Amino acid sequence: MVYFAEVYMPTNLPPEALDKWEEVEAAHTPRDKMEKMIEFLKYVPQHKGTLKLRGEIKRKIAIIREDLEDKKRKGTGKSSGGPKLFVEKEGSAQVAILGLTNVGRSCLLQLVTKANVVVSPTKYTTTQPVPGIMDFGDVQFQLVETPAVMEGSGDGRAWGPVTLGVARNADGVILMVDLADNPVGQVELVISELEKSRVLVKKPNGRVEVERRHAGTALRVILVGKLIDCTLREVEQLLRGYKIHDAIVRISGEVSLDDVEDAIFETTTYKPAVIVANKADLPGTLANLQMLKKHVNNRILIVPMSCEKKLGVEELGKALIQSLGIIRIYTKEPGSKMDTGRPFALRSGTTIGDLAKSIHKEFISNFLFAMVWAKRLPFSPKKVGLSFVLDDGDIVEIHTRSG
């Protein structure tokens, strides 16, 4: 058991490893960061307490190495040859489609995006990410079909690193199951492999955000939640143990010291999820659907679908909007009777200030007031300021000094 600054380190890291991690943080180029991570691993003891940390650092090294090799191949005019670890984001939100082989991932992508994909009964047809755009309710979702999840994907088996890399980079995930074949077992396998890669689909009790400043500011910990196994002083000592002196750390909900350390390494991430229960048209699947609902217990939205019969598309669109917390905000020019008809797809909790920033930074510096039309307001329109919180379907007219 190793102590540092009188605080037990959750992963038992010796001081030498902490020094090496400081070098990782100070690295300016991807290659330098990769080399420093490789050096860091030499000082991380190999035992159960460091298993997840070592796995995550190895994953980061693999991603950087693949990216560097891909850039090198492009520079020489040679094709990559291998599947991409990331898909460039388009639309309002990127959603990864995950599931075991032959559950209907390709069929779903073809149905809702019209993407040119191969739909085949042959197992493991998809070997690289395939994107497509789904238009729903004035929102564009970029759905990305990933190679099939299998037992061991989270340990690097087959296309596991590709699939889980896409899931980590996405804004949300679709967990797709075949209702005719033990859907509870399928969804648990996918969730288990995601968790090996530190991707959570069950909303955690708390959240830690580490915003590094590197500008000579002091360490500031903002606690609006509850520490369940430590004190604020121990959190500060842990952060300083990792040489984090210039940062703002925001803690909300119920958080442990392990959670704080996870945030330092940026290892655990939460992704909103929707379960697509495919083949709901087949006889005998209703009982399996009820079992799945009971197992999930309202923790994740479930959408029964039949991709083959084209059933459930409307429900999927609504579930994605709800799960991702997307709100559609319409704008209109001052003096105009009609809105533009093209909404801004933003996240729940968005304020007038957030909307103004997304339009143009000058809308903030020259802001006077905004008028909001909304059904929930007793009187509409209402004159509001930058801190006014918006809701889905609101129409906003921003007035500035220049206009």
Short mmCIF file of all heavy atoms in Angstrom, two decimals, residues 236-279:
data_model
loop_
_atom_site.label_atom_id
_atom_site.label_comp_id
_atom_site.label_asym_id
_atom_site.label_seq_id
_atom_site.Cartn_x
_atom_site.Cartn_y
_atom_site.Cartn_z
N GLU A 236 -8.23 17.46 -3.02
CA GLU A 236 -7.21 18.45 -3.41
C GLU A 236 -5.82 17.84 -3.36
O GLU A 236 -4.98 18.10 -4.24
CB GLU A 236 -7.31 19.67 -2.48
CG GLU A 236 -8.58 20.49 -2.70
CD GLU A 236 -8.73 21.60 -1.68
OE1 GLU A 236 -7.97 21.58 -0.67
OE2 GLU A 236 -9.58 22.49 -1.87
N GLN A 237 -5.55 17.02 -2.35
CA GLN A 237 -4.25 16.39 -2.23
C GLN A 237 -4.00 15.38 -3.36
O GLN A 237 -2.90 15.25 -3.87
CB GLN A 237 -4.12 15.70 -0.86
CG GLN A 237 -3.98 16.70 0.28
CD GLN A 237 -3.93 16.02 1.64
OE1 GLN A 237 -4.54 14.97 1.83
NE2 GLN A 237 -3.22 16.61 2.57
N LEU A 238 -5.07 14.65 -3.74
CA LEU A 238 -4.95 13.71 -4.85
C LEU A 238 -4.60 14.46 -6.13
O LEU A 238 -3.70 14.06 -6.88
CB LEU A 238 -6.27 12.96 -5.05
CG LEU A 238 -6.36 12.06 -6.29
CD1 LEU A 238 -5.38 10.90 -6.18
CD2 LEU A 238 -7.77 11.55 -6.51
N LEU A 239 -5.28 15.57 -6.40
CA LEU A 239 -5.03 16.37 -7.59
C LEU A 239 -3.60 16.91 -7.61
O LEU A 239 -2.91 16.85 -8.62
CB LEU A 239 -6.04 17.51 -7.68
CG LEU A 239 -7.50 17.09 -7.92
CD1 LEU A 239 -8.45 18.24 -7.61
CD2 LEU A 239 -7.70 16.62 -9.35
N ARG A 240 -3.17 17.41 -6.46
CA ARG A 240 -1.81 17.94 -6.38
C ARG A 240 -0.78 16.82 -6.51
O ARG A 240 0.33 17.04 -6.99
CB ARG A 240 -1.62 18.71 -5.07
CG ARG A 240 -2.39 20.03 -5.05
CD ARG A 240 -1.94 20.96 -3.92
NE ARG A 240 -2.59 22.24 -4.04
CZ ARG A 240 -3.70 22.59 -3.38
NH1 ARG A 240 -4.26 21.74 -2.54
NH2 ARG A 240 -4.24 23.79 -3.55
N GLY A 241 -1.17 15.61 -6.06
CA GLY A 241 -0.29 14.46 -6.24
C GLY A 241 -0.01 14.17 -7.70
O GLY A 241 1.06 13.69 -8.07
N TYR A 242 -0.99 14.51 -8.57
CA TYR A 242 -0.81 14.36 -10.01
C TYR A 242 -0.28 15.65 -10.64
O TYR A 242 -0.37 15.84 -11.84
CB TYR A 242 -2.13 13.97 -10.66
CG TYR A 242 -2.45 12.49 -10.54
CD1 TYR A 242 -3.42 12.04 -9.65
CD2 TYR A 242 -1.77 11.55 -11.31
CE1 TYR A 242 -3.70 10.69 -9.53
CE2 TYR A 242 -2.05 10.21 -11.20
CZ TYR A 242 -3.02 9.78 -10.30
OH TYR A 242 -3.29 8.43 -10.20
N LYS A 243 0.24 16.56 -9.80
CA LYS A 243 0.82 17.83 -10.25
C LYS A 243 -0.22 18.72 -10.94
O LYS A 243 0.11 19.47 -11.86
CB LYS A 243 2.02 17.57 -11.18
CG LYS A 243 3.07 16.62 -10.61
CD LYS A 243 3.65 17.15 -9.33
CE LYS A 243 4.75 16.34 -8.70
NZ LYS A 243 5.18 15.09 -9.19
N ILE A 244 -1.47 18.60 -10.52
CA ILE A 244 -2.52 19.48 -11.06
C ILE A 244 -2.69 20.63 -10.08
O ILE A 244 -3.29 20.50 -9.02
CB ILE A 244 -3.84 18.71 -11.23
CG1 ILE A 244 -3.66 17.58 -12.25
CG2 ILE A 244 -4.97 19.65 -11.69
CD1 ILE A 244 -4.86 16.69 -12.41
N HIS A 245 -2.11 21.77 -10.42
CA HIS A 245 -2.14 22.94 -9.55
C HIS A 245 -2.96 24.08 -10.13
O HIS A 245 -3.49 24.90 -9.40
CB HIS A 245 -0.71 23.43 -9.30
CG HIS A 245 0.19 22.39 -8.69
ND1 HIS A 245 0.03 21.95 -7.39
CD2 HIS A 245 1.23 21.70 -9.21
CE1 HIS A 245 0.96 21.03 -7.12
NE2 HIS A 245 1.69 20.85 -8.21
N ASP A 246 -3.04 24.13 -11.48
CA ASP A 246 -3.77 25.20 -12.15
C ASP A 246 -4.99 24.61 -12.86
O ASP A 246 -4.92 24.25 -14.03
CB ASP A 246 -2.88 25.91 -13.18
CG ASP A 246 -1.59 26.42 -12.57
OD1 ASP A 246 -1.59 26.60 -11.35
OD2 ASP A 246 -0.62 26.62 -13.31
N ALA A 247 -6.09 24.50 -12.14
CA ALA A 247 -7.28 23.88 -12.74
C ALA A 247 -8.53 24.23 -11.95
O ALA A 247 -8.46 24.59 -10.76
CB ALA A 247 -7.12 22.37 -12.79
N ILE A 248 -9.67 24.14 -12.63
CA ILE A 248 -10.97 24.24 -11.97
C ILE A 248 -11.60 22.85 -12.06
O ILE A 248 -11.75 22.29 -13.15
CB ILE A 248 -11.88 25.28 -12.64
CG1 ILE A 248 -11.30 26.68 -12.46
CG2 ILE A 248 -13.28 25.22 -12.05
CD1 ILE A 248 -12.11 27.76 -13.15
N VAL A 249 -11.93 22.27 -10.92
CA VAL A 249 -12.51 20.93 -10.86
C VAL A 249 -13.94 21.03 -10.35
O VAL A 249 -14.18 21.49 -9.23
CB VAL A 249 -11.68 20.01 -9.94
CG1 VAL A 249 -12.27 18.61 -9.91
CG2 VAL A 249 -10.22 19.95 -10.41
N ARG A 250 -14.89 20.63 -11.19
CA ARG A 250 -16.31 20.71 -10.82
C ARG A 250 -16.82 19.31 -10.47
O ARG A 250 -16.68 18.38 -11.27
CB ARG A 250 -17.13 21.31 -11.96
CG ARG A 250 -16.76 22.75 -12.28
CD ARG A 250 -17.57 23.27 -13.47
NE ARG A 250 -17.25 24.65 -13.76
CZ ARG A 250 -16.25 25.03 -14.56
NH1 ARG A 250 -15.50 24.10 -15.14
NH2 ARG A 250 -16.01 26.31 -14.79
N ILE A 251 -17.39 19.17 -9.29
CA ILE A 251 -17.90 17.88 -8.82
C ILE A 251 -19.40 18.02 -8.56
O ILE A 251 -19.83 18.87 -7.79
CB ILE A 251 -17.19 17.44 -7.54
CG1 ILE A 251 -15.68 17.25 -7.80
CG2 ILE A 251 -17.79 16.14 -7.00
CD1 ILE A 251 -14.87 16.95 -6.56
N SER A 252 -20.20 17.17 -9.21
CA SER A 252 -21.65 17.19 -9.00
C SER A 252 -22.13 15.77 -8.75
O SER A 252 -21.52 14.80 -9.19
CB SER A 252 -22.36 17.79 -10.21
OG SER A 252 -22.05 17.07 -11.39
N GLY A 253 -23.24 15.63 -8.03
CA GLY A 253 -23.77 14.32 -7.70
C GLY A 253 -22.92 13.63 -6.64
O GLY A 253 -22.16 14.28 -5.91
N GLU A 254 -23.02 12.30 -6.57
CA GLU A 254 -22.24 11.52 -5.60
C GLU A 254 -20.97 11.01 -6.27
O GLU A 254 -21.03 10.29 -7.26
CB GLU A 254 -23.08 10.34 -5.07
CG GLU A 254 -24.26 10.78 -4.22
CD GLU A 254 -24.96 9.60 -3.58
OE1 GLU A 254 -24.56 8.45 -3.85
OE2 GLU A 254 -25.89 9.82 -2.79
N VAL A 255 -19.83 11.36 -5.70
CA VAL A 255 -18.54 11.08 -6.33
C VAL A 255 -17.57 10.49 -5.32
O VAL A 255 -17.52 10.92 -4.17
CB VAL A 255 -17.96 12.39 -6.93
CG1 VAL A 255 -16.50 12.22 -7.31
CG2 VAL A 255 -18.78 12.84 -8.13
N SER A 256 -16.79 9.49 -5.76
CA SER A 256 -15.76 8.89 -4.92
C SER A 256 -14.40 9.38 -5.36
O SER A 256 -14.25 10.03 -6.41
CB SER A 256 -15.81 7.36 -5.04
OG SER A 256 -15.39 6.96 -6.33
N LEU A 257 -13.37 9.05 -4.58
CA LEU A 257 -12.01 9.42 -4.94
C LEU A 257 -11.58 8.72 -6.22
O LEU A 257 -10.83 9.27 -7.03
CB LEU A 257 -11.05 9.07 -3.78
CG LEU A 257 -9.76 9.90 -3.69
CD1 LEU A 257 -10.05 11.38 -3.58
CD2 LEU A 257 -8.91 9.44 -2.51
N ASP A 258 -12.07 7.49 -6.44
CA ASP A 258 -11.80 6.78 -7.70
C ASP A 258 -12.35 7.56 -8.89
O ASP A 258 -11.73 7.61 -9.97
CB ASP A 258 -12.43 5.38 -7.68
CG ASP A 258 -11.58 4.39 -6.91
OD1 ASP A 258 -10.37 4.66 -6.74
OD2 ASP A 258 -12.11 3.36 -6.47
N ASP A 259 -13.55 8.15 -8.73
CA ASP A 259 -14.17 8.92 -9.80
C ASP A 259 -13.32 10.14 -10.15
O ASP A 259 -13.19 10.51 -11.33
CB ASP A 259 -15.57 9.37 -9.41
CG ASP A 259 -16.54 8.22 -9.21
OD1 ASP A 259 -16.40 7.21 -9.93
OD2 ASP A 259 -17.42 8.33 -8.33
N VAL A 260 -12.76 10.77 -9.13
CA VAL A 260 -11.89 11.93 -9.36
C VAL A 260 -10.67 11.51 -10.16
O VAL A 260 -10.26 12.17 -11.11
CB VAL A 260 -11.48 12.59 -8.02
CG1 VAL A 260 -10.52 13.75 -8.29
CG2 VAL A 260 -12.70 13.09 -7.26
N GLU A 261 -10.07 10.37 -9.78
CA GLU A 261 -8.89 9.90 -10.50
C GLU A 261 -9.24 9.51 -11.93
O GLU A 261 -8.46 9.76 -12.86
CB GLU A 261 -8.26 8.71 -9.78
CG GLU A 261 -6.91 8.34 -10.38
CD GLU A 261 -6.19 7.25 -9.59
OE1 GLU A 261 -6.84 6.24 -9.25
OE2 GLU A 261 -5.01 7.41 -9.33
N ASP A 262 -10.40 8.90 -12.14
CA ASP A 262 -10.85 8.58 -13.49
C ASP A 262 -10.89 9.84 -14.35
O ASP A 262 -10.51 9.83 -15.53
CB ASP A 262 -12.24 7.95 -13.46
CG ASP A 262 -12.18 6.43 -13.33
OD1 ASP A 262 -11.08 5.88 -13.45
OD2 ASP A 262 -13.23 5.82 -13.08
N ALA A 263 -11.37 10.94 -13.76
CA ALA A 263 -11.49 12.19 -14.50
C ALA A 263 -10.11 12.74 -14.88
O ALA A 263 -9.95 13.36 -15.94
CB ALA A 263 -12.25 13.22 -13.68
N ILE A 264 -9.12 12.52 -14.02
CA ILE A 264 -7.76 12.97 -14.32
C ILE A 264 -7.24 12.29 -15.58
O ILE A 264 -6.63 12.90 -16.45
CB ILE A 264 -6.81 12.68 -13.13
CG1 ILE A 264 -7.21 13.53 -11.92
CG2 ILE A 264 -5.36 12.95 -13.51
CD1 ILE A 264 -6.50 13.15 -10.64
N PHE A 265 -7.51 11.00 -15.69
CA PHE A 265 -7.05 10.23 -16.85
C PHE A 265 -8.07 10.24 -17.99
O PHE A 265 -7.83 9.65 -19.04
CB PHE A 265 -6.77 8.78 -16.44
CG PHE A 265 -5.55 8.63 -15.58
CD1 PHE A 265 -5.67 8.47 -14.21
CD2 PHE A 265 -4.29 8.67 -16.13
CE1 PHE A 265 -4.55 8.34 -13.41
CE2 PHE A 265 -3.16 8.54 -15.34
CZ PHE A 265 -3.29 8.38 -13.97
N GLU A 266 -9.21 10.91 -17.77
CA GLU A 266 -10.28 10.98 -18.76
C GLU A 266 -10.67 9.58 -19.24
O GLU A 266 -10.84 9.32 -20.43
CB GLU A 266 -9.85 11.84 -19.96
CG GLU A 266 -9.51 13.27 -19.58
CD GLU A 266 -8.99 14.07 -20.77
OE1 GLU A 266 -8.53 13.46 -21.75
OE2 GLU A 266 -9.03 15.29 -20.69
N THR A 267 -10.79 8.66 -18.29
CA THR A 267 -11.01 7.27 -18.68
C THR A 267 -12.49 6.90 -18.79
O THR A 267 -12.88 6.22 -19.73
CB THR A 267 -10.35 6.32 -17.66
OG1 THR A 267 -10.85 6.62 -16.35
CG2 THR A 267 -8.85 6.48 -17.67
N THR A 268 -13.31 7.32 -17.84
CA THR A 268 -14.71 6.91 -17.85
C THR A 268 -15.58 7.99 -18.48
O THR A 268 -15.46 9.16 -18.15
CB THR A 268 -15.20 6.62 -16.42
OG1 THR A 268 -14.40 5.60 -15.85
CG2 THR A 268 -16.65 6.17 -16.43
N THR A 269 -16.44 7.58 -19.39
CA THR A 269 -17.33 8.53 -20.05
C THR A 269 -18.73 7.95 -20.10
O THR A 269 -18.91 6.74 -20.23
CB THR A 269 -16.83 8.87 -21.47
OG1 THR A 269 -17.71 9.82 -22.06
CG2 THR A 269 -16.78 7.63 -22.35
N TYR A 270 -19.74 8.81 -19.99
CA TYR A 270 -21.14 8.39 -20.03
C TYR A 270 -21.74 8.74 -21.38
O TYR A 270 -21.56 9.86 -21.88
CB TYR A 270 -21.92 9.06 -18.91
CG TYR A 270 -23.43 9.01 -19.10
CD1 TYR A 270 -24.13 7.81 -19.00
CD2 TYR A 270 -24.15 10.17 -19.40
CE1 TYR A 270 -25.50 7.76 -19.21
CE2 TYR A 270 -25.52 10.12 -19.59
CZ TYR A 270 -26.19 8.92 -19.49
OH TYR A 270 -27.54 8.88 -19.70
N LYS A 271 -22.45 7.79 -21.98
CA LYS A 271 -23.13 8.02 -23.25
C LYS A 271 -24.62 7.70 -23.12
O LYS A 271 -24.98 6.57 -22.75
CB LYS A 271 -22.53 7.11 -24.36
CG LYS A 271 -21.05 7.34 -24.62
CD LYS A 271 -20.76 8.74 -25.13
CE LYS A 271 -19.27 8.97 -25.28
NZ LYS A 271 -18.97 10.36 -25.72
N PRO A 272 -25.49 8.66 -23.39
CA PRO A 272 -26.93 8.37 -23.38
C PRO A 272 -27.24 7.25 -24.36
O PRO A 272 -26.64 7.19 -25.44
CB PRO A 272 -27.56 9.69 -23.83
CG PRO A 272 -26.52 10.73 -23.61
CD PRO A 272 -25.20 10.04 -23.77
N ALA A 273 -28.16 6.37 -23.99
CA ALA A 273 -28.42 5.19 -24.82
C ALA A 273 -29.91 4.98 -25.07
O ALA A 273 -30.76 5.39 -24.27
CB ALA A 273 -27.84 3.94 -24.15
N VAL A 274 -30.19 4.34 -26.20
CA VAL A 274 -31.53 3.87 -26.55
C VAL A 274 -31.38 2.41 -26.96
O VAL A 274 -30.46 2.07 -27.71
CB VAL A 274 -32.14 4.68 -27.72
CG1 VAL A 274 -33.43 4.03 -28.21
CG2 VAL A 274 -32.39 6.12 -27.30
N ILE A 275 -32.24 1.55 -26.44
CA ILE A 275 -32.24 0.14 -26.86
C ILE A 275 -33.24 -0.04 -27.99
O ILE A 275 -34.42 0.28 -27.83
CB ILE A 275 -32.60 -0.79 -25.69
CG1 ILE A 275 -31.54 -0.73 -24.60
CG2 ILE A 275 -32.75 -2.24 -26.19
CD1 ILE A 275 -31.88 -1.54 -23.35
N VAL A 276 -32.76 -0.50 -29.14
CA VAL A 276 -33.65 -0.84 -30.25
C VAL A 276 -33.89 -2.35 -30.19
O VAL A 276 -32.97 -3.15 -30.39
CB VAL A 276 -33.05 -0.44 -31.60
CG1 VAL A 276 -33.84 -1.08 -32.75
CG2 VAL A 276 -33.06 1.07 -31.76
N ALA A 277 -35.13 -2.72 -29.89
CA ALA A 277 -35.51 -4.14 -29.80
C ALA A 277 -36.08 -4.56 -31.15
O ALA A 277 -37.27 -4.37 -31.44
CB ALA A 277 -36.53 -4.34 -28.68
N ASN A 278 -35.22 -5.11 -32.00
CA ASN A 278 -35.59 -5.42 -33.38
C ASN A 278 -36.34 -6.75 -33.49
O ASN A 278 -36.30 -7.58 -32.59
CB ASN A 278 -34.32 -5.45 -34.24
CG ASN A 278 -34.63 -5.49 -35.73
OD1 ASN A 278 -35.66 -4.98 -36.18
ND2 ASN A 278 -33.76 -6.10 -36.51
N LYS A 279 -37.01 -6.91 -34.64
CA LYS A 279 -37.78 -8.12 -34.98
C LYS A 279 -39.00 -8.29 -34.06
O LYS A 279 -39.39 -9.40 -33.71
CB LYS A 279 -36.89 -9.36 -34.94
CG LYS A 279 -35.65 -9.24 -35.83
CD LYS A 279 -34.79 -10.48 -35.84
CE LYS A 279 -33.51 -10.26 -36.63
NZ LYS A 279 -32.62 -11.44 -36.62
#
